[in-house]
Amino acid sequence: MNSFFIKAIDALTLIMDMKSGDVLWLACGKKKQTVYDFIDWIGIDWMKNVKAVACDMNSDFEEAFKKRCEWLDIVCDHSHLIKNFNDKVVSKVRKEEQKRLIEEGNTEAAKAGKIIAKGSDLFKKPKVKQKSRN
């Protein structure tokens, strides 16, 4: 059984074979029609050999695959789950804590640990955090 990874990059959709790493499809758009076009091009007989699709949490992708290929397991990739949790939960809690510390007059503690530069694995740049002056 095959499985593949689908990812929206800006206004592009990339579909890759997870075993070989081969690019199967690259198209403009991030909507259901992009998935339908891929399935029409690759053929439903080929798709019957696919067991799972890893997506980047784009609900249009999941809905399109489930409509045309109901046997597929749709999986959200780990990095997007963690990023979503960090963006939605951790950042909110951190901001609320900073606000509380500032309201208490503890501005130094509120600034400590604040991310100044995100860093990059690709460019091997570390994350830079504000240091406390205490």
Side-chain angles (χ1 to χ4, degrees):
M1 287 289 197
N2 295 327
S3 57
F4 57 87
F5 175 76
I6 180 168
K7 178 170 178 64
I9 307 168
D10 293 323
L12 296 175
T13 296
L14 171 69
I15 300 177
M16 294 176 57
D17 183 292
M18 291 186 70
K19 285 185 180 177
S20 69
D22 293 338
V23 174
L24 302 174
W25 187 255
L26 181 63
C28 290
K30 301 188 292 186
K31 301 292 182 192
K32 293 177 186 175
Q33 189 59 49
T34 307
V35 172
Y36 297 148
D37 291 346
F38 168 71
I39 294 170
D40 291 343
W41 175 77
I42 203 84
I44 201 71
D45 287 337
W46 189 90
M47 288 299 297
K48 286 181 181 174
N49 293 312
V50 176
K51 182 177 180 180
V53 176
C55 291
D56 64 358
M57 299 179 73
N58 180 325
S59 62
D60 280 350
F61 291 161
E62 182 176 352
E63 290 172 20
F65 278 115
K66 282 298 184 186
K67 183 174 182 180
R68 294 270 185 102
C69 307
E70 60 277 349
W71 64 88
L72 289 176
D73 289 327
I74 308 294
V75 181
C76 292
D77 69 87
H78 181 263
S79 63
H80 283 90
L81 290 172
I82 297 301
K83 182 184 182 314
N84 191 39
F85 180 78
N86 285 335
D87 290 349
K88 301 281 192 298
V89 178
V90 175
S91 292
K92 182 179 179 183
V93 170
R94 181 184 50 77
K95 287 175 184 177
E96 288 173 358
E97 182 64 8
Q98 285 178 327
K99 182 180 176 184
R100 184 189 65 78
L101 290 167
I102 290 169
E103 287 171 356
E104 291 176 358
N106 194 347
T107 56
E108 286 300 315
K111 289 180 184 177
K114 184 176 182 181
I115 296 174
I116 297 171
K118 288 186 176 184
S120 168
D121 290 337
L122 179 63
F123 298 110
K124 301 197 182 345
K125 293 177 118 182
K127 185 185 299 183
V128 179
K129 293 183 178 182
Q130 177 94 26
K131 292 188 176 22
S132 176
R133 294 184 187 153
N134 295 337

